[in-house]
Amino acid sequence: MLWADAKKARRIRTNMWKHNIKFHQLSYREMEHLRQFRRDVTKCLFLGILSIPPFANYLVFLLMYLFPRQLLIQHFWTPKQQIDFLDIYHALRKQSHPEILCYLEKVIPLISDSGLRWHMTELCTKMQRGTHPAIHDILALRECFSNHPLGMNQLHALQMKALSRAMLLTPYLPPVLLRYRLKTHTTVIHQLDKALAKLGIGQLTAQEVKSACYLRGLNSTHIAEERCRTWLGEWLQLSCSLKEAELSLLLHNVVLLSINYTGTRR
Protein backbone atom coordinates (compact mmCIF):
# COMPACT_ATOMS: atom_id res chain seq x y z
CA MET A 1 0.00 0.00 0.00
CA LEU A 2 2.86 2.37 0.81
CA TRP A 3 4.55 1.56 -2.52
CA ALA A 4 1.27 2.18 -4.37
CA ASP A 5 0.93 5.52 -2.56
CA ALA A 6 4.46 6.45 -3.60
CA LYS A 7 3.78 5.66 -7.27
CA LYS A 8 0.54 7.66 -7.21
CA ALA A 9 2.28 10.63 -5.55
CA ARG A 10 4.98 10.47 -8.24
CA ARG A 11 2.36 10.46 -11.02
CA ILE A 12 0.65 13.52 -9.49
CA ARG A 13 3.96 15.36 -9.09
CA THR A 14 4.98 14.52 -12.68
CA ASN A 15 1.65 15.79 -13.98
CA MET A 16 2.04 19.00 -11.96
CA TRP A 17 5.49 19.56 -13.44
CA LYS A 18 4.44 18.81 -17.03
CA HIS A 19 1.36 21.04 -17.02
CA ASN A 20 2.66 23.71 -14.61
CA ILE A 21 -0.10 22.98 -12.09
CA LYS A 22 0.11 24.40 -8.57
CA PHE A 23 -0.91 22.42 -5.46
CA HIS A 24 -4.12 24.41 -4.93
CA GLN A 25 -5.18 23.68 -8.53
CA LEU A 26 -5.27 19.91 -8.01
CA SER A 27 -8.43 17.93 -7.36
CA TYR A 28 -9.42 17.28 -3.73
CA ARG A 29 -8.30 13.63 -3.73
CA GLU A 30 -4.94 14.48 -5.33
CA MET A 31 -4.31 17.24 -2.79
CA GLU A 32 -5.27 15.01 0.12
CA HIS A 33 -3.10 12.16 -1.20
CA LEU A 34 -0.01 14.39 -1.41
CA ARG A 35 -0.66 15.87 2.04
CA GLN A 36 -0.97 12.45 3.69
CA PHE A 37 1.92 10.92 1.75
CA ARG A 38 4.19 13.78 2.83
CA ARG A 39 3.40 13.02 6.47
CA ASP A 40 3.99 9.29 5.94
CA VAL A 41 7.34 9.88 4.26
CA THR A 42 8.46 12.04 7.18
CA LYS A 43 7.92 9.12 9.55
CA CYS A 44 9.67 6.71 7.20
CA LEU A 45 12.68 9.03 6.88
CA PHE A 46 12.95 9.22 10.66
CA LEU A 47 13.08 5.41 10.85
CA GLY A 48 15.62 5.35 8.02
CA ILE A 49 17.91 7.73 9.90
CA LEU A 50 17.65 5.56 13.04
CA SER A 51 18.64 2.51 10.98
CA ILE A 52 21.89 4.02 9.63
CA PRO A 53 24.32 2.91 12.41
CA PRO A 54 25.56 -0.73 12.17
CA PHE A 55 23.10 -3.26 13.65
CA ALA A 56 20.72 -0.43 14.57
CA ASN A 57 18.01 -2.01 12.39
CA TYR A 58 17.48 -4.64 15.11
CA LEU A 59 16.78 -1.85 17.60
CA VAL A 60 14.44 -0.17 15.10
CA PHE A 61 12.35 -3.34 14.78
CA LEU A 62 12.05 -3.47 18.58
CA LEU A 63 11.06 0.21 18.74
CA MET A 64 8.42 -0.29 16.03
CA TYR A 65 6.96 -3.16 18.02
CA LEU A 66 6.95 -1.17 21.28
CA PHE A 67 5.83 2.19 19.82
CA PRO A 68 3.68 1.49 16.73
CA ARG A 69 1.61 4.68 17.15
CA GLN A 70 4.62 6.98 17.14
CA LEU A 71 6.83 5.19 14.59
CA LEU A 72 4.52 3.41 12.14
CA ILE A 73 2.21 4.93 9.55
CA GLN A 74 -1.47 3.96 9.42
CA HIS A 75 -0.88 1.27 6.75
CA PHE A 76 0.78 -0.85 9.44
CA TRP A 77 -1.88 -0.36 12.13
CA THR A 78 -4.49 -3.03 12.79
CA PRO A 79 -8.17 -1.93 12.58
CA LYS A 80 -8.37 -1.89 16.40
CA GLN A 81 -5.14 0.10 16.64
CA GLN A 82 -6.48 2.66 14.17
CA ILE A 83 -9.45 3.40 16.43
CA ASP A 84 -7.41 3.31 19.64
CA PHE A 85 -4.59 5.48 18.30
CA LEU A 86 -6.95 8.08 16.82
CA ASP A 87 -8.67 8.27 20.22
CA ILE A 88 -5.29 8.81 21.89
CA TYR A 89 -4.32 11.56 19.44
CA HIS A 90 -7.66 13.29 19.90
CA ALA A 91 -7.32 13.11 23.69
CA LEU A 92 -3.93 14.84 23.33
CA ARG A 93 -5.28 17.68 21.21
CA LYS A 94 -8.38 18.01 23.39
CA GLN A 95 -6.15 18.87 26.36
CA SER A 96 -5.41 22.21 24.68
CA HIS A 97 -9.08 23.17 24.17
CA PRO A 98 -9.67 24.80 27.61
CA GLU A 99 -6.44 26.78 27.22
CA ILE A 100 -7.47 28.09 23.79
CA LEU A 101 -10.92 29.11 25.07
CA CYS A 102 -9.25 30.81 28.03
CA TYR A 103 -7.11 32.91 25.65
CA LEU A 104 -10.25 33.95 23.76
CA GLU A 105 -11.80 35.17 27.01
CA LYS A 106 -8.64 37.08 27.91
CA VAL A 107 -8.63 39.09 24.69
CA ILE A 108 -12.22 40.34 25.12
CA PRO A 109 -11.12 43.58 26.87
CA LEU A 110 -8.63 44.18 24.02
CA ILE A 111 -11.40 44.34 21.38
CA SER A 112 -12.10 48.01 20.70
CA ASP A 113 -15.46 47.60 18.93
CA SER A 114 -18.27 47.19 21.49
CA GLY A 115 -20.38 45.07 19.13
CA LEU A 116 -17.54 42.63 18.46
CA ARG A 117 -16.73 42.57 22.17
CA TRP A 118 -20.34 41.56 22.92
CA HIS A 119 -20.29 38.85 20.23
CA MET A 120 -17.04 37.39 21.59
CA THR A 121 -18.44 37.37 25.14
CA GLU A 122 -21.59 35.59 23.93
CA LEU A 123 -19.56 33.03 21.98
CA CYS A 124 -17.31 32.22 24.95
CA THR A 125 -20.35 31.93 27.23
CA LYS A 126 -22.02 29.49 24.83
CA MET A 127 -18.86 27.43 24.55
CA GLN A 128 -18.54 27.21 28.34
CA ARG A 129 -22.18 26.12 28.63
CA GLY A 130 -21.61 23.28 26.15
CA THR A 131 -23.59 24.84 23.28
CA HIS A 132 -22.52 24.14 19.70
CA PRO A 133 -22.11 27.59 18.06
CA ALA A 134 -23.96 28.60 14.90
CA ILE A 135 -21.92 29.52 11.83
CA HIS A 136 -23.20 33.12 11.82
CA ASP A 137 -22.08 33.53 15.47
CA ILE A 138 -18.52 32.68 14.45
CA LEU A 139 -18.48 34.65 11.20
CA ALA A 140 -19.62 37.74 13.08
CA LEU A 141 -16.15 37.77 14.68
CA ARG A 142 -14.07 37.45 11.51
CA GLU A 143 -12.69 41.00 11.94
CA CYS A 144 -11.15 40.07 15.32
CA PHE A 145 -9.26 37.20 13.69
CA SER A 146 -7.94 39.18 10.72
CA ASN A 147 -6.28 41.95 12.74
CA HIS A 148 -5.59 42.74 16.39
CA PRO A 149 -5.98 40.92 18.75
CA LEU A 150 -6.35 37.44 17.19
CA GLY A 151 -4.87 37.79 13.71
CA MET A 152 -2.30 35.16 12.73
CA ASN A 153 0.55 37.65 13.11
CA GLN A 154 -0.72 38.88 16.51
CA LEU A 155 -0.86 35.50 18.27
CA HIS A 156 1.45 35.11 21.27
CA ALA A 157 3.84 32.19 21.73
CA LEU A 158 1.68 30.42 24.34
CA GLN A 159 -1.39 30.74 22.12
CA MET A 160 0.52 29.25 19.20
CA LYS A 161 1.75 26.37 21.33
CA ALA A 162 -1.81 25.54 22.39
CA LEU A 163 -3.08 25.82 18.80
CA SER A 164 -0.22 23.62 17.60
CA ARG A 165 -1.24 20.89 20.04
CA ALA A 166 -4.84 21.22 18.84
CA MET A 167 -3.59 20.65 15.27
CA LEU A 168 -1.36 17.72 16.33
CA LEU A 169 1.74 19.72 15.47
CA THR A 170 4.79 19.86 17.73
CA PRO A 171 4.69 22.88 20.08
CA TYR A 172 8.42 22.61 20.87
CA LEU A 173 9.67 25.10 18.29
CA PRO A 174 10.65 28.80 18.35
CA PRO A 175 7.70 31.22 17.89
CA VAL A 176 8.77 32.08 14.33
CA LEU A 177 8.61 28.44 13.26
CA LEU A 178 5.39 27.83 15.19
CA ARG A 179 3.70 30.69 13.33
CA TYR A 180 5.05 29.49 9.98
CA ARG A 181 3.84 25.90 10.54
CA LEU A 182 0.40 27.02 11.70
CA LYS A 183 0.06 29.32 8.67
CA THR A 184 1.18 26.59 6.29
CA HIS A 185 -1.02 23.90 7.82
CA THR A 186 -4.09 26.15 7.92
CA THR A 187 -3.53 27.32 4.34
CA VAL A 188 -3.40 23.70 3.13
CA ILE A 189 -6.66 22.91 4.91
CA HIS A 190 -8.25 26.03 3.39
CA GLN A 191 -7.14 24.92 -0.09
CA LEU A 192 -8.48 21.42 0.58
CA ASP A 193 -11.79 22.93 1.67
CA LYS A 194 -12.16 24.86 -1.58
CA ALA A 195 -11.40 21.74 -3.62
CA LEU A 196 -13.82 19.68 -1.53
CA ALA A 197 -16.58 22.26 -1.94
CA LYS A 198 -16.07 22.03 -5.71
CA LEU A 199 -16.20 18.21 -5.60
CA GLY A 200 -19.14 17.98 -3.17
CA ILE A 201 -19.34 16.13 0.14
CA GLY A 202 -21.78 13.66 -1.40
CA GLN A 203 -18.96 12.33 -3.63
CA LEU A 204 -16.86 11.23 -0.64
CA THR A 205 -16.87 7.71 0.75
CA ALA A 206 -17.68 7.15 4.43
CA GLN A 207 -13.98 6.72 5.25
CA GLU A 208 -13.03 9.89 3.36
CA VAL A 209 -15.68 11.85 5.28
CA LYS A 210 -14.45 10.60 8.64
CA SER A 211 -10.81 11.29 7.74
CA ALA A 212 -11.69 14.82 6.59
CA CYS A 213 -13.55 15.51 9.84
CA TYR A 214 -10.71 14.14 11.96
CA LEU A 215 -8.15 16.34 10.20
CA ARG A 216 -10.29 19.38 11.02
CA GLY A 217 -10.57 18.62 14.75
CA LEU A 218 -13.59 16.31 15.13
CA ASN A 219 -13.12 12.85 16.66
CA SER A 220 -15.19 11.18 13.95
CA THR A 221 -14.33 7.58 14.90
CA HIS A 222 -17.38 7.36 17.20
CA ILE A 223 -19.84 9.55 15.27
CA ALA A 224 -22.34 8.32 12.68
CA GLU A 225 -21.49 9.02 9.05
CA GLU A 226 -24.49 11.32 8.46
CA ARG A 227 -23.61 13.48 11.46
CA CYS A 228 -20.04 13.68 10.16
CA ARG A 229 -21.33 14.85 6.76
CA THR A 230 -23.49 17.47 8.48
CA TRP A 231 -20.54 18.74 10.52
CA LEU A 232 -18.25 18.80 7.48
CA GLY A 233 -20.90 20.82 5.63
CA GLU A 234 -20.87 23.41 8.44
CA TRP A 235 -17.08 23.55 8.32
CA LEU A 236 -17.04 24.09 4.54
CA GLN A 237 -19.72 26.78 4.78
CA LEU A 238 -17.52 28.69 7.20
CA SER A 239 -14.17 27.97 5.54
CA CYS A 240 -15.27 28.97 2.04
CA SER A 241 -16.53 32.31 3.44
CA LEU A 242 -13.08 33.25 4.74
CA LYS A 243 -10.30 35.16 3.01
CA GLU A 244 -6.62 34.40 3.36
CA ALA A 245 -6.19 37.19 5.93
CA GLU A 246 -8.85 35.56 8.14
CA LEU A 247 -7.23 32.11 8.39
CA SER A 248 -6.68 32.56 12.13
CA LEU A 249 -10.45 32.09 12.51
CA LEU A 250 -10.25 28.83 10.53
CA LEU A 251 -7.44 27.72 12.81
CA HIS A 252 -9.52 28.42 15.93
CA ASN A 253 -12.48 26.56 14.42
CA VAL A 254 -10.64 23.31 15.07
CA VAL A 255 -11.78 23.96 18.64
CA LEU A 256 -14.89 26.13 18.22
CA LEU A 257 -16.76 23.76 15.90
CA SER A 258 -15.70 20.45 17.44
CA ILE A 259 -15.66 20.86 21.22
CA ASN A 260 -19.44 20.80 21.80
CA TYR A 261 -20.64 18.90 18.73
CA THR A 262 -23.39 16.35 19.50
CA GLY A 263 -22.01 12.83 19.70
CA THR A 264 -18.44 13.84 20.46
CA ARG A 265 -16.83 11.87 23.27
CA ARG A 266 -16.02 13.96 26.30
Side-chain angles (χ1 to χ4, degrees):
M1 287 189 291
L2 180 61
W3 180 246
D5 282 352
K7 290 196 294 184
K8 183 177 179 180
R10 184 182 178 184
R11 283 198 304 270
I12 296 171
R13 285 290 187 186
T14 302
N15 189 54
M16 290 173 66
W17 179 76
K18 282 183 178 179
H19 299 93
N20 195 27
I21 299 173
K22 304 297 183 183
F23 178 79
H24 68 273
Q25 296 173 315
L26 295 171
S27 69
Y28 171 76
R29 288 192 172 96
E30 288 174 332
M31 292 170 67
E32 177 59 24
H33 183 85
L34 288 182
R35 185 200 67 82
Q36 186 59 51
F37 182 71
R38 194 179 298 125
R39 292 175 66 89
D40 292 343
V41 167
T42 302
K43 274 193 175 183
C44 292
L45 285 176
F46 177 71
L47 284 177
I49 293 171
L50 288 180
S51 304
I52 290 176
F55 306 107
N57 54 321
Y58 297 108
L59 175 61
V60 169
F61 281 121
L62 177 62
L63 291 175
M64 287 191 296
Y65 176 77
L66 294 175
F67 306 103
R69 176 172 64 86
Q70 293 88 343
L71 297 179
L72 295 181
I73 61 176
Q74 293 190 29
H75 290 320
F76 299 99
W77 296 351
T78 66
K80 184 179 184 304
Q81 283 178 326
Q82 288 190 21
I83 295 174
D84 292 344
F85 292 167
L86 289 178
D87 280 344
I88 291 172
Y89 279 127
H90 185 70
L92 291 173
R93 65 184 178 186
K94 198 167 68 170
Q95 291 174 3
S96 65
H97 290 182
E99 189 177 350
I100 293 170
L101 292 179
C102 181
Y103 283 126
L104 292 181
E105 291 179 329
K106 286 181 179 179
V107 302
I108 291 175
L110 302 178
I111 301 173
S112 56
D113 186 275
S114 59
L116 291 175
R117 194 162 56 244
W118 180 85
H119 277 296
M120 180 65 81
T121 304
E122 283 293 297
L123 179 64
C124 290
T125 301
K126 286 182 178 180
M127 300 300 296
Q128 295 292 351
R129 290 175 179 170
T131 303
H132 181 64
I135 299 300
H136 61 82
D137 289 335
I138 298 175
L139 286 176
L141 292 163
R142 59 199 303 169
E143 186 179 334
C144 297
F145 291 88
S146 59
N147 298 298
H148 182 79
L150 292 167
M152 193 72 82
N153 293 324
Q154 281 76 40
L155 297 175
H156 299 298
L158 291 178
Q159 287 176 284
M160 292 190 291
K161 287 179 182 292
L163 288 165
S164 294
R165 291 196 297 272
M167 299 291 278
L168 294 177
L169 300 172
T170 178
Y172 307 111
L173 291 173
V176 174
L177 291 180
L178 284 176
R179 196 182 312 278
Y180 173 77
R181 290 200 73 192
L182 286 172
K183 280 184 177 180
T184 303
H185 200 71
T186 310
T187 299
V188 168
I189 291 179
H190 195 223
Q191 292 170 344
L192 281 167
D193 290 341
K194 290 181 178 178
L196 179 53
K198 187 181 297 184
L199 174 66
I201 298 175
Q203 300 299 315
L204 299 185
T205 65
Q207 184 55 47
E208 285 175 328
V209 169
K210 286 183 175 281
S211 296
C213 289
Y214 194 89
L215 172 66
R216 291 158 178 80
L218 186 72
N219 188 10
S220 52
T221 53
H222 304 284
I223 300 178
E225 179 190 341
E226 285 306 312
R227 293 206 60 79
C228 287
R229 289 184 186 274
T230 301
W231 185 89
L232 189 57
E234 291 183 5
W235 175 283
L236 290 184
Q237 180 186 345
L238 193 149
S239 177
C240 294
S241 303
L242 299 177
K243 301 174 183 177
E244 187 176 345
E246 300 167 334
L247 289 186
S248 178
L249 179 55
L250 188 66
L251 177 59
H252 282 80
N253 276 323
V254 171
V255 178
L256 297 177
L257 277 185
S258 66
I259 190 171
N260 293 327
Y261 190 65
T262 305
T264 305
R265 278 193 172 185
R266 300 293 177 182

